Amino acid sequence: MPAEIVEKLGGFKGQLVHSSAMDELTGSSPDGKNAVEGKRILLIGDSYSGEDLALQCIKLGAERIFVTTRSASGSASYVGSWPEDRVEILKFSNVSGVKDDGTGKTLVFDSLNEKYPVPDVEDISIIICCTGYIPNLHMLEEKLQPWKESEDCGEWCMEDVGENTNTWRMKENSLTPILGHVEPSTELESNTDYVVENSYRRLLISNPNMMFIYEVTHYPLLEIDVIAWLCLAYITGERAIPTKTQMLEENARELLESMQDYEVRYYIDENFKEAVDKIPEDHWINDTTSVEFTNSLIEWNSYVLRVLAGYMRDAIYPLNFGDMDGLNKTGVKLLHMIANEEKGRYLLKNCDEDTKQWKTFRDIDPSPFSSLVTGMGSVPLKGKWLEIDNDGNPDLSK
């Protein structure tokens, strides 16, 4: 668990666990196996584990679940509705401590966005850290790390990659009608999730004998497997290790390509971030149920898959999505499945009130989903997700 969170919650009198250690919770149900029934629970983190545990807690009878999230960009923050309306997302918030009210169970928060004030939350019995698995390389000297931990991180500008700040243009995309042309900042961040200044495709540029296996995409198990294959290809010589000059040139090319993806550009170009932040609240980008938003999911997910496709190609991986320049048929198939899965989550908001009492993203139509390898289609659940047991059979006690 993050040390800073543990320190802030030193006075908490309930149970505090990481999402990977749920079996450490002590039970309170008659059989001693259900620790969450009737409890008010705080989940720290809104990504996949937070979303999954929120649903599991509903299924096990938790009274109410609160999810605190700093960026409100994880999957849980985009769920259109939760069964029985038992989940509350505390957007743009950070748990800051335990209120001194004598209970040890009232939590206070820092609000990170003035538009979203965060009240104290009382009577929390369990806190679950759904904080993911951020790569920890602190045991290495900074010169051996793939990214700089200090604030002295590198910057670049269009001229560094053979472009002109004044004449460069972003390709038209779904935000072009509202943003028009946004001139790049003269100082752009050198580190993204996908391009890191000290390394190239998990090779340390200064010493390519140092290789790194970690994940940054929304497809962690696939990505880690691909990266393991890539490192193996370097080690066995199946893939030649590029020269330092080649790695720097390729990083520059990929940084330039990342400026064409508006989600990545938002984090590396201050001018673009300011422009996006000024988009009116009533614009479709802020409405996950709008036709424009759901149609844009293909565009939004394409860049990340193309990055992964480039790794697959270099790794000589048995599954091929295409390359950085474009996805092949398999890559496009996955892209559409990802968009359908995300749509199923967002559009829960449009369900009628009776359906909202039970429906989850797992209950959506399975017909758009099939194996990338065998083509075998997904099968529907044997009942409502809330009403099936761990083996997938209807729970007759429900």
Side-chain angles (χ1 to χ4, degrees):
M1 283 188 290
E4 64 272 17
I5 292 178
V6 174
E7 183 178 352
K8 289 177 181 178
L9 297 172
F12 179 59
K13 293 185 178 179
Q15 298 185 71
L16 172 64
V17 298
H18 191 268
S19 59
S20 62
M22 293 297 293
D23 57 346
E24 295 179 6
L25 288 174
T26 55
S28 61
S29 59
D31 59 7
K33 295 181 179 179
N34 185 347
V36 305
E37 187 175 2
K39 303 290 181 59
R40 287 164 62 87
I41 299 168
L42 176 73
L43 305 180
I44 299 177
D46 68 340
S47 197
Y48 293 119
S49 60
E51 177 188 33
D52 183 58
L53 284 172
L55 289 171
Q56 292 287 351
C57 288
I58 293 172
K59 197 170 190 175
L60 291 171
E63 178 187 318
R64 190 152 187 80
I65 302 102
F66 301 87
V67 181
T68 178
T69 165
R70 289 174 296 182
S71 63
S73 60
S75 57
S77 291
Y78 287 97
V79 172
S81 72
W82 297 89
E84 301 175 14
D85 196 27
R86 273 196 269 168
V87 177
E88 182 175 344
I89 306 294
L90 307 177
K91 291 186 176 182
F92 305 108
S93 67
N94 202 11
V95 64
S96 59
V98 182
K99 189 173 184 178
D100 186 16
D101 62 357
T103 68
K105 292 188 174 183
T106 300
L107 303 179
V108 294
F109 302 83
D110 292 326
S111 176
L112 307 178
N113 186 318
E114 60 183 15
K115 295 180 181 179
Y116 297 88
V118 185
D120 298 345
V121 178
E122 300 177 343
D123 195 27
I124 293 295
S125 297
I126 298 171
I127 299 175
I128 304 172
C129 291
C130 307
T131 45
Y133 304 93
I134 298 173
N136 186 342
L137 300 172
H138 293 162
M139 77 294 292
L140 299 175
E141 292 182 63
E142 185 169 303
K143 67 180 181 180
L144 294 177
Q145 296 183 19
W147 53 78
K148 291 182 179 179
E149 296 287 351
S150 67
E151 295 181 0
D152 185 27
C153 293
E155 295 173 335
W156 63 289
C157 64
M158 283 296 171
E159 283 68 22
D160 293 333
V161 292
E163 296 286 338
N164 185 297
T165 297
N166 298 319
T167 60
W168 177 85
R169 291 294 184 272
M170 191 177 193
K171 296 174 184 175
E172 285 198 12
N173 57 62
S174 54
L175 290 183
T176 302
I178 184 71
L179 294 180
H181 169 61
V182 179
E183 185 171 298
S185 303
T186 55
E187 294 181 348
L188 301 165
E189 171 62 51
S190 287
N191 295 291
T192 73
D193 282 342
Y194 314 107
V195 183
V196 185
E197 61 179 314
N198 287 357
S199 63
Y200 167 72
R201 299 210 169 170
R202 311 306 165 83
L203 294 172
L204 188 67
I205 293 176
S206 62
N207 179 4
N209 290 323
M210 176 72 79
M211 304 175 190
F212 306 93
I213 298 177
Y214 59 88
E215 49 83 17
V216 296
T217 71
H218 297 305
Y219 330 112
L221 297 181
L222 174 61
E223 182 186 0
I224 286 175
D225 194 47
V226 170
I227 298 304
W229 275 68
L230 179 58
C231 291
L232 182 62
Y234 289 139
I235 292 168
T236 61
E238 288 186 274
R239 177 63 63 187
I241 293 178
T243 65
K244 180 178 179 179
T245 298
Q246 289 172 329
M247 288 190 275
L248 291 173
E249 288 177 350
E250 189 62 20
N251 268 0
R253 188 187 78 82
E254 292 187 8
L255 275 174
L256 184 61
E257 179 66 25
S258 72
M259 285 286 287
Q260 296 293 349
D261 180 81
Y262 49 79
E263 184 174 1
V264 179
R265 187 182 174 189
Y266 179 87
Y267 291 102
I268 65 176
D269 182 356
E270 189 62 32
N271 286 355
F272 191 73
K273 181 180 185 300
E274 290 178 3
V276 172
D277 287 346
K278 291 178 182 177
I279 293 177
E281 284 290 327
D282 60 357
H283 188 265
W284 61 259
I285 197 174
N286 298 309
D287 179 8
T288 57
T289 65
S290 67
V291 173
E292 295 89 346
F293 187 96
T294 53
N295 287 343
S296 70
L297 293 174
I298 295 291
E299 181 179 67
W300 290 5
N301 287 290
S302 174
Y303 173 76
V304 180
L305 276 187
R306 286 187 288 114
V307 170
L308 193 55
Y311 288 161
M312 288 174 156
R313 181 202 60 198
D314 282 3
I316 318 174
Y317 195 69
L319 192 61
N320 183 353
F321 289 170
D323 55 32
M324 190 66 196
D325 295 322
L327 298 174
N328 61 16
K329 185 177 180 180
T330 303
V332 170
K333 177 180 178 179
L334 177 59
L335 180 61
H336 282 272
M337 286 197 289
I338 290 169
N340 276 301
E341 182 260 340
E342 291 182 352
K343 242 195 293 193
R345 182 177 284 111
Y346 305 148
L347 296 181
L348 291 170
K349 186 176 181 179
N350 290 346
C351 294
D352 61 61
E353 292 306 313
D354 288 340
T355 303
K356 285 181 180 179
Q357 293 298 302
W358 61 267
K359 192 170 185 179
T360 73
F361 77 90
R362 293 190 177 94
D363 295 292
I364 64 174
D365 174 18
S367 62
F369 307 96
S370 61
S371 168
L372 296 176
V373 179
T374 67
M376 182 179 292
S378 178
V379 296
L381 299 175
K382 295 179 181 179
K384 299 173 182 176
W385 181 80
L386 282 177
E387 298 176 359
I388 59 176
D389 60 24
N390 291 338
D391 295 321
N393 298 313
D395 186 343
L396 300 180
S397 66
K398 297 292 184 182

